[in-house]
Amino acid sequence: DREQSVFAWLRLSPDAPPVVIVCNFTPIPRSEYRIGLPSTGLWQEILNTDGTVYGGSGLSNQGMVRADPVASHGFPASATILLPPLASVYFTRISG
């Protein structure tokens, strides 16, 4: 997303669940930011570089987001996330 300075990518492995990485390169938090995902279900936030433990503001997705069957970015599912300022968040699917 060039206009909002957001980069996102999906890491796939035959031996591990998928991991989605979303990075916000601006000092502006992005609430209700929609990201495409390969499947519906619960996605756990496994890393948030805006955590207070890293000196950040502590904005988070309360540990997880739910992906619904709403197509986005070429994927069959998507979720809206809170994207903290100047931070990266990582998600992995934990249940359907």
Side-chain angles (χ1 to χ4, degrees), residues 19-93:
V19 175
V20 173
I21 300 103
V22 187
C23 305
N24 181 3
F25 290 97
T26 72
I28 301 165
R30 310 273 182 213
S31 62
E32 301 293 317
Y33 191 86
R34 183 165 294 279
I35 58 168
L37 295 167
S39 58
T40 60
L42 291 178
W43 288 72
Q44 183 178 13
E45 184 179 72
I46 56 174
L47 176 66
N48 179 339
T49 63
D50 192 52
T52 56
V53 68
Y54 305 118
S57 68
L59 292 177
S60 77
N61 291 279
Q62 305 300 318
M64 67 184 60
V65 296
R66 176 174 297 281
D68 297 313
V70 176
S72 183
H73 301 109
F75 290 99
S78 65
T80 56
I81 66 170
L82 170 61
L83 191 50
L86 300 170
S88 298
V89 289
Y90 288 50
F91 296 95
T92 191
R93 188 170 180 276

Side-chain angles (χ1 to χ4, degrees), residues 11-19 92-93:
R11 179 199 166 272
L12 295 173
S13 168
D15 303 321
V19 175
T92 191
R93 188 170 180 276

